[in-house]
Amino acid sequence: MKSSDNLTTERPTFVTHLECAMEGDHYPADQVHNLSKAGKPLLVRYDLAGVKQALTKDALAQRPADMWRYRELLPVRKCQDIVSLGEVMTPLINLPKLSKKLGGGEIIVKDEGRLPTGSFKARGLVMAVSMGKA
């Protein structure tokens, strides 16, 4: 895999905590969790004022097109903890012929086949391993 500044440049993270989708309980962002105590998904919460001040669309557009482009929005705090399989950006693809065949409406699919594992699970896997390493 070729090197990416996204993997080697230390950046702040604006993840403040995780929150139970049902009860609102808070959980530390620096730990691996499964579900909340209520058995519900955990939502990521951010310092949005900090994000607005630190990130611009232009700055993001200049970075290599991989999952780690958005480092400030991910819970991995240090470069040394990043584990990557080379997760590239995966495009949304419009399917107008299928839409027409099915009678209308817009159909869009995400091409996850471009990921190293050929599956959407690649991103979750490297995030879990990176968090476990930290």
Side-chain angles (χ1 to χ4, degrees), residues 4 6-7 64-72 74 76 82-90 115 120 122-128 130:
S4 164
N6 296 335
L7 303 176
D66 62 28
M67 178 180 95
W68 297 98
R69 167 185 274 184
Y70 306 100
R71 280 272 309 286
E72 292 90 342
L74 299 173
V76 179
I82 293 175
V83 175
S84 179
L85 300 172
E87 303 76 23
V88 296
M89 301 296 281
T90 53
L115 292 169
F120 71 94
R123 284 189 284 274
L125 173 66
V126 297
M127 189 57 55
S130 296

Side-chain angles (χ1 to χ4, degrees), residues 5-75:
D5 288 345
N6 296 335
L7 303 176
T8 58
T9 302
E10 291 294 347
R11 296 188 172 123
T13 180
F14 295 100
V15 174
T16 59
H17 63 281
L18 305 177
E19 187 175 300
C20 174
M22 183 174 174
E23 301 289 332
D25 299 343
H26 288 202
Y27 297 81
D30 294 283
Q31 297 175 8
V32 177
H33 303 278
N34 191 355
L35 299 173
S36 72
K37 291 176 189 169
K40 300 299 178 186
L42 295 170
L43 306 174
V44 181
R45 298 299 186 199
Y46 301 95
D47 170 9
L48 295 177
V51 171
K52 184 177 180 180
Q53 198 170 42
L55 289 177
T56 65
K57 289 181 183 180
D58 289 338
L60 288 173
Q62 296 300 315
R63 295 180 184 178
D66 62 28
M67 178 180 95
W68 297 98
R69 167 185 274 184
Y70 306 100
R71 280 272 309 286
E72 292 90 342
L73 304 174
L74 299 173

